[in-house]
Amino acid sequence: MKKNIFLYLISVFFLLMVGNSQAVYSEETKSNDSVGFNVKAILPENQLNKENSFFDLRVSPNQKQEIELLITNTSNKEEVYDISINQAYTNKQGFIDYALKAESEKNQYKFPIEEIVDVPDKVTVPANQSKKVPISLKIPDKSFVGEILSAFQIKKEDNDQSGINNSYGYIIGLRLTQNDQQVKRNLTLEKVEAKEISQQDKLLITFHNPEMESYGSLKYKITMVNTKDNKTVYNKEFKDLQIAPESLYEMEFNLEEQKIPKGIYQVKVEVSDAKNNKWNFEQNVEVQKNSRSRQVSHANKDRVIKFFGLFILVVILLISFFDGCISKILKKISLK
């Protein structure tokens, strides 16, 4: 009996320790049914592919056009939706993205989407009704070869009773082209640098796609060679990546995880795509290990070890305490 009570108390203790994180996660996770609205593009006559659910429009220089989004509010109350548009950029993972305005603004586009598209910032839709949102397009008077990629973001802010602010949204793409002329692909290496980021030593390799065309199925092979002894210290391949039109792509590597020591290294990069295009780059970079980041890293490890030791001590004390209490109770019971 004593053993069973002891095991029960230990089980309760660990359930209390891990149960809170699961409960918080459950509160933040909702099914798609709880979003309460949906959005679709009303495709116009100049839609290239009617099978696509996004805007894929063939346009002409100096053309003016109005397109529409349809927002359906499936909830039982009036809702306000925020609408914005961002031009395509390449995120840190090497994929085309539209989510962050700040990332789009790092690129220099020949035709910024804000100068082409006029869309309302907010739209109010009554409960259980749909509303068409008019969007004005003004195509530049200068012709172009390639594509202009962007996307509309439609979001609803939802403050639930628990006080957690949840943002739900849809992304509807907008692709503009003027012809089917093929773009000659190009890729440049902007810079290679080793620097401290968040108190860690990182290697940053920045590429640039100067053309108005998105590339897919990209394969990168990165090699680092120590110029002192000509030994390869890093060799890795990345497959099926993308790069957005006229965008920068910054690859990031943690030098501390790779245990690459201080020194001068030759960075070799091979890039290829599914259309048999190949680009080769070489550039030297000096790695200066950041002693402060190593000190911080060791300090963090020491704190983790101390915390873990304290946690074990608390568990042992609790076990001893409960064990003593249970022993006393069982003795009293046996005396009776």
Side-chain angles (χ1 to χ4, degrees):
M1 180 179 176
K2 177 180 176 181
K3 184 177 180 182
N4 290 337
I5 296 174
F6 171 74
L7 291 174
Y8 171 76
L9 291 171
I10 295 300
S11 300
V12 170
F13 176 76
F14 280 101
L15 283 172
L16 290 172
M17 291 297 295
V18 301
N20 289 335
S21 61
Q22 293 174 344
V24 172
Y25 178 79
S26 297
E27 287 174 355
E28 294 177 342
T29 303
K30 292 189 176 182
S31 66
N32 292 331
D33 294 337
S34 67
V35 173
F37 76 105
N38 57 69
V39 184
K40 75 172 185 177
I42 300 176
L43 304 179
E45 289 298 320
N46 56 332
Q47 174 82 7
L48 278 180
N49 189 343
K50 300 290 185 180
E51 299 298 319
N52 290 333
S53 59
F54 62 90
F55 294 109
D56 184 7
L57 308 182
R58 177 57 52 89
V59 295
S60 303
N62 211 30
Q63 175 183 332
K64 293 181 181 180
Q65 181 178 358
E66 187 173 282
I67 58 176
E68 293 176 315
L69 289 171
L70 182 67
I71 301 178
T72 300
N73 179 6
T74 58
S75 72
N76 294 321
K77 63 177 182 177
E78 181 182 272
E79 297 286 2
V80 178
Y81 304 95
D82 297 324
I83 305 177
S84 61
I85 187 167
N86 288 339
Q87 203 143 348
Y89 64 89
T90 310
N91 63 27
K92 297 289 186 182
Q93 291 71 43
F95 299 101
I96 296 173
D97 206 340
Y98 307 92
L100 302 175
K101 189 80 169 179
E103 293 297 319
S104 294
E105 291 173 346
K106 293 179 181 179
N107 301 312
Q108 295 183 345
Y109 304 104
K110 296 182 181 71
F111 302 103
I113 198 63
E114 293 82 5
E115 298 178 6
I116 298 173
V117 175
D118 184 18
V119 59
D121 296 331
K122 294 181 182 294
V123 172
T124 301
V125 183
N128 297 303
Q129 293 187 32
S130 298
K131 189 172 185 177
K132 291 181 179 180
V133 181
I135 300 166
S136 299
L137 304 181
K138 187 180 184 305
I139 308 303
D141 55 7
K142 185 178 180 181
S143 62
F144 63 85
V145 176
E147 59 188 354
I148 300 174
L149 282 186
S150 61
F152 298 100
Q153 289 190 71
I154 304 92
K155 294 183 179 179
K156 180 192 74 171
E157 295 297 326
D158 178 27
N159 293 294
D160 60 25
Q161 293 180 354
S162 66
I164 298 174
N165 184 272
N166 299 305
S167 180
Y168 304 102
Y170 287 84
I171 290 181
I172 304 291
L174 172 65
R175 178 176 181 260
L176 304 174
T177 59
Q178 291 188 351
N179 49 63
D180 294 323
Q181 188 174 336
Q182 294 294 311
V183 175
K184 184 179 180 180
R185 292 187 171 186
N186 189 18
L187 187 71
T188 62
L189 178 67
E190 292 296 295
K191 60 182 177 181
V192 179
E193 59 180 337
K195 62 188 296 187
E196 178 194 346
I197 300 176
S198 301
Q199 299 178 335
Q200 290 187 326
D201 296 307
K202 302 288 183 72
L203 177 70
L204 304 178
I205 306 176
T206 305
F207 303 92
H208 180 228
N209 172 14
E211 306 301 330
M212 290 181 63
E213 180 175 272
S214 56
Y215 307 166
S217 302
L218 291 174
K219 178 180 177 182
Y220 294 80
K221 183 178 179 182
I222 313 296
T223 306
M224 286 185 69
V225 178
N226 193 328
T227 57
K228 188 175 181 179
D229 55 16
N230 207 35
K231 289 185 178 179
T232 299
V233 297
Y234 184 83
N235 189 9
K236 193 168 184 179
E237 289 188 2
F238 303 87
K239 297 180 180 180
D240 298 323
L241 300 185
Q242 305 167 339
I243 191 165
E246 302 179 283
S247 73
L248 297 169
Y249 168 40
E250 185 178 80
M251 300 185 82
E252 182 178 299
F253 306 93
N254 192 327
L255 296 177
E256 294 182 2
E257 288 180 358
Q258 303 299 327
K259 297 181 180 180
I260 295 176
K262 177 180 178 180
I264 298 176
Y265 296 85
Q266 183 184 51
V267 178
K268 299 179 181 181
V269 183
E270 299 177 20
V271 188
S272 60
D273 65 9
K275 295 185 176 182
N276 297 320
N277 293 298
K278 293 184 179 180
W279 300 273
N280 292 278
F281 309 102
E282 290 185 7
Q283 187 171 318
N284 285 1
V285 63
E286 183 177 3
V287 175
Q288 296 181 340
K289 298 297 286 184
N290 175 31
S291 59
R292 186 165 65 88
S293 70
R294 292 198 300 273
Q295 291 170 2
V296 170
S297 177
H298 289 312
N300 288 335
K301 289 179 181 178
D302 291 340
R303 281 196 291 269
V304 170
I305 293 171
K306 288 178 181 178
F307 175 79
F308 185 72
L310 181 62
F311 173 76
I312 295 297
L313 179 61
V314 170
V315 172
I316 293 171
L317 290 173
L318 285 171
I319 292 173
S320 300
F321 174 75
F322 286 123
D323 188 39
C325 291
I326 293 168
S327 297
K328 290 179 180 178
I329 292 169
L330 292 174
K331 284 181 180 178
K332 289 181 179 180
I333 292 172
S334 62
L335 288 172
K336 291 179 181 179

